[in-house]
Amino acid sequence: MNYYLVNLTDTYKTVIEQQCLFISKPSGRNIFHWDNLLRVKKNDIIFANIGGYIKAICIAKESCNDSNEFIHEERRIHIDYYEIEEDIKIDDIDLLNNKKFICIKNI
């Protein structure tokens, strides 16, 4: 099992409604979060950072791979999204220096 940190931008409402993380295909250049999403496997844990606070924990319901339906235009992973009772300020924890965490950024 791996642990991920995802920075949700203005798409967080869609993530909650659709219960999935998604990234549109970048145009012309390689962007690390496009590749990193392929690393997510079923049952991996994803911490959702919204505005500097971890507000939810997500569990991947599937692995992201080339057989996913939208792979050519976007990558998506269906998740179970669980809001936590008390937000955790991202600056108060040391996730990014922990080698077990992989950052999927700016979804």
Side-chain angles (χ1 to χ4, degrees):
M1 178 184 319
N2 287 306
Y3 302 92
Y4 296 88
L5 176 67
V6 62
N7 297 319
L8 297 177
T9 56
D10 55 346
T11 61
Y12 78 92
K13 290 180 183 176
T14 304
V15 168
I16 295 168
E17 290 169 5
Q18 295 184 8
Q19 294 285 295
C20 73
L21 297 173
F22 57 92
I23 300 174
S24 297
K25 186 174 184 177
S27 58
R29 64 180 210 257
N30 190 14
I31 298 179
F32 75 92
H33 57 267
W34 173 257
D35 293 329
N36 279 350
L37 198 60
L38 279 176
R39 298 171 73 171
V40 177
K41 303 296 180 211
K42 183 177 181 177
N43 295 321
D44 281 351
I45 296 174
I46 304 159
F47 295 91
N49 174 28
I50 303 168
Y53 292 86
I54 293 180
K55 296 182 176 259
I57 297 172
C58 308
I59 299 174
K61 293 171 80 171
E62 61 189 354
S63 298
C64 185
N65 57 51
D66 289 340
S67 66
N68 284 16
E69 182 179 355
F70 300 99
I71 196 69
H72 300 294
E73 297 302 321
E74 70 179 22
R75 290 185 175 156
R76 66 173 55 204
I77 299 174
H78 291 91
I79 57 168
D80 288 321
Y81 183 96
Y82 302 97
E83 288 187 14
I84 58 176
E85 289 185 21
E86 189 173 326
D87 297 348
I88 302 168
K89 189 173 181 181
I90 197 79
D91 292 341
D92 291 344
I93 54 177
D94 196 19
L95 286 179
L96 297 179
N97 290 322
N98 186 325
K99 293 182 192 273
K100 290 193 84 166
F101 281 88
I102 302 166
C103 192
I104 307 170
K105 201 170 185 179
N106 301 332
I107 292 181

